[in-house]
Amino acid sequence: MIQITPLQPFGCSITSVDLRSASDQEALTIRNATATHGFAVIRDQHDLGDTSFASFLQQLGPSMFTKGETAVAGHPSLNLVTNVGRDRPPRSVWHTDTSYVPQPPAFTALRVIHAPESGGETLIADQLAAYDELSEDLKARFKESTVLHGATGVDDDASCHHPLFRRHSETDRTAIFLSTPQRCTAISGVPAQEAEQIIKDLYAFGTQDQFVHRHAWKAGDVLIWDNRRTLHRGDHSAVIGDRVLHRGMVRGEAPLPV
């Protein structure tokens, strides 16, 4: 039977499941746990290959792929995340994945191929807890506001308006829904300069240490997070050794207002 253990300050660890042969009911349990806790670390998947990984993600929902990423050979729904062969460490800032499309991914999953000797953690920030800590005045002021999410040079300079405060379709709770400020360029009804500052302030507020979990990679790990209530980034500041991950995403719904 699947074992689900809550983590601090949020998230959960899942054991006693083999993703190579997960039943639909087990996949649903993992999906629900990820939505409820924000992310799930699934341990001891040492024999999981890309075919089984991609098949498991399809049990969670339709796959999607970010244009411009490097696909894993033979697995077009997965992409490569690696520091191998680079002259300098990868750059990673707090963000949510592919938020500039009408239906951003509900879930992102990473399967470890090579865990570094040390460093290279994946950080996840809980935007649901951050929303809960906002003042009631701020919540009321921006209850119906939308933010323009955009990306230049990706998918024909795609852009899309989404609620600043997003209601989760599965838990009915509310989270701040932003990505890196470079990809959040306007708030409806707010002058440009003021909107820029508000976005920066909310982004900084939501990535404070009190809202952050640091996942240190171990062999056999699969990490799944819910993009509808989290931001994430890789910490590449002190990596020793190869860090190689394969990533897959599960399509979500159009973001819901409060």
Side-chain angles (χ1 to χ4, degrees):
M1 182 176 293
I2 292 179
Q3 300 295 315
I4 300 172
T5 304
L7 301 174
Q8 295 297 326
F10 74 116
C12 67
S13 175
I14 295 178
T15 55
S16 301
V17 65
D18 186 344
L19 297 186
R20 296 175 300 172
S21 57
S23 67
D24 289 344
Q25 182 57 53
E26 288 174 322
L28 180 60
T29 297
I30 292 170
R31 179 185 172 109
N32 290 342
T34 305
T36 299
H37 294 278
F39 72 89
V41 183
I42 307 173
R43 305 286 190 182
D44 302 322
Q45 304 302 305
H46 300 280
D47 298 321
L48 181 68
D50 285 322
T51 298
S52 296
F53 181 44
S55 295
F56 165 71
L57 294 181
Q58 288 175 347
Q59 289 179 279
L60 303 183
S63 62
M64 63 182 295
F65 190 87
T66 300
K67 187 176 180 179
E69 297 286 358
T70 301
V72 174
H75 298 280
S77 68
L78 306 178
N79 70 273
L80 180 66
V81 178
T82 182
N83 66 351
V84 177
R86 301 179 65 106
D87 295 330
R88 62 185 65 183
R91 178 177 176 268
S92 182
V93 297
W94 288 108
H95 66 287
T96 189
D97 285 329
T98 320
S99 63
Y100 45 82
V101 298
Q103 292 179 253
F107 302 104
T108 297
L110 294 174
R111 178 173 87 88
V112 67
I113 307 301
H114 293 295
E117 296 174 35
S118 63
E121 296 93 343
T122 295
L123 281 60
I124 309 174
D126 188 4
Q127 301 309 285
L128 189 155
Y131 173 83
D132 287 346
E133 292 296 319
L134 294 177
S135 71
E136 294 304 317
D137 288 345
L138 197 62
K139 292 176 185 178
R141 179 185 176 190
F142 295 109
K143 181 178 180 179
E144 299 180 358
S145 297
T146 61
V147 172
L148 179 61
H149 293 244
T152 58
V154 178
D155 204 13
D156 299 322
D157 295 347
S159 64
C160 206
H161 291 270
H162 295 308
L164 172 57
F165 298 146
R166 177 178 184 172
R167 179 167 56 87
H168 197 289
S169 62
E170 296 176 52
T171 67
D172 209 37
R173 298 187 67 184
T174 301
I176 302 169
F177 188 61
L178 289 172
S179 194
T180 173
Q182 287 72 32
R183 291 190 169 181
C184 293
T185 56
I187 301 177
S188 58
V190 179
Q193 188 171 359
E194 182 182 1
E196 180 181 3
Q197 190 59 54
I198 291 167
I199 288 168
K200 288 180 179 178
D201 289 346
L202 286 173
Y203 180 78
F205 181 81
T207 54
Q208 296 178 90
D209 287 347
Q210 71 197 72
F211 304 127
V212 174
H213 178 89
R214 298 180 68 96
H215 174 67
W217 288 96
K218 297 180 181 179
D221 280 354
V222 170
L223 176 65
I224 307 177
W225 61 80
D226 190 326
N227 285 292
R228 297 168 293 184
R229 60 167 283 183
T230 63
L231 295 173
H232 64 278
R233 73 176 183 90
D235 185 352
H236 303 286
S237 61
V239 181
I240 298 176
D242 292 347
R243 182 183 188 270
V244 183
L245 308 163
H246 288 177
R247 183 183 79 154
M249 298 192 303
V250 176
R251 186 178 303 279
E253 69 284 349
L256 301 175
V258 179

